[in-house]
Amino acid sequence: MPILRQAYALQALRELGRLAPDLARVRANRSLEDSLRSLSEACQTTLGMELETLTLFDARSVVRLFGHAEQARILAHLMDERARTLAEHGDFVGALSDTVYAGQLLMCSRQRFGVHKDAGAADALERELPKPPP
């Protein structure tokens, strides 16, 4: 069973890597609603869960849903992207809230999975996501 969970987490990372350039492009070229919709779709595609539903709960409860640190990292990345989107559209309070939530996700991930696995998740995310253009 752990092998299936690991395969699922790696597939989610690859899917996020495939979607990352599109998310950045949508953030730069479209309305706030379109950008937020793209982030919701990315969360549904990568994690199989609704972004809006996940953000209703505290970070610790959300991390407990996940079987791997990579999943918490993916959600933290999506929350960071949402914070950037909100900031670009002038919602600095919402951006700050999403940034804090992303940090809480990472902290809870380290508490649940340990520093070694969380660091491995960060490395995996770094490998799978394309580098942003300068």
Side-chain angles (χ1 to χ4, degrees):
M1 198 63 159
I3 293 171
L4 290 176
R5 284 190 215 147
Q6 182 68 20
Y8 171 77
L10 289 175
Q11 179 60 31
L13 282 171
R14 288 185 186 104
E15 194 64 30
L16 182 62
R18 187 183 67 76
L19 294 172
D22 295 334
L23 293 173
R25 192 171 25 260
V26 167
R27 180 170 39 94
N29 297 328
R30 294 204 183 149
S31 69
L32 177 61
E33 293 80 24
D34 289 342
S35 298
L36 294 177
R37 189 176 318 110
S38 294
L39 286 167
S40 293
E41 290 169 3
C43 186
Q44 181 69 39
T45 302
T46 56
L47 297 175
M49 300 176 205
E50 295 289 332
L51 183 64
E52 294 77 17
T53 303
L54 289 172
T55 57
L56 292 175
F57 301 99
D58 64 294
R60 181 177 302 232
S61 298
V62 171
V63 170
R64 286 183 185 161
L65 293 173
F66 298 141
H68 286 281
E70 288 87 353
Q71 293 168 300
R73 286 274 178 177
I74 288 171
L75 183 57
H77 180 77
L78 291 171
M79 293 306 297
D80 184 54
E81 187 67 31
R82 189 167 97 165
R84 291 177 192 189
T85 300
L86 292 174
E88 286 182 4
H89 286 88
D91 184 0
F92 299 109
V93 173
L96 179 61
S97 175
D98 285 352
T99 300
V100 168
Y101 190 69
Q104 290 171 342
L105 287 166
L106 297 176
M107 179 189 68
C108 292
S109 174
R110 285 189 166 221
Q111 288 174 346
R112 178 160 189 247
F113 299 108
V115 174
H116 176 69
K117 284 190 177 180
D118 193 62
D123 292 341
L125 195 62
E126 185 71 27
R127 281 191 311 272
E128 295 296 329
L129 288 178
K131 302 293 179 239

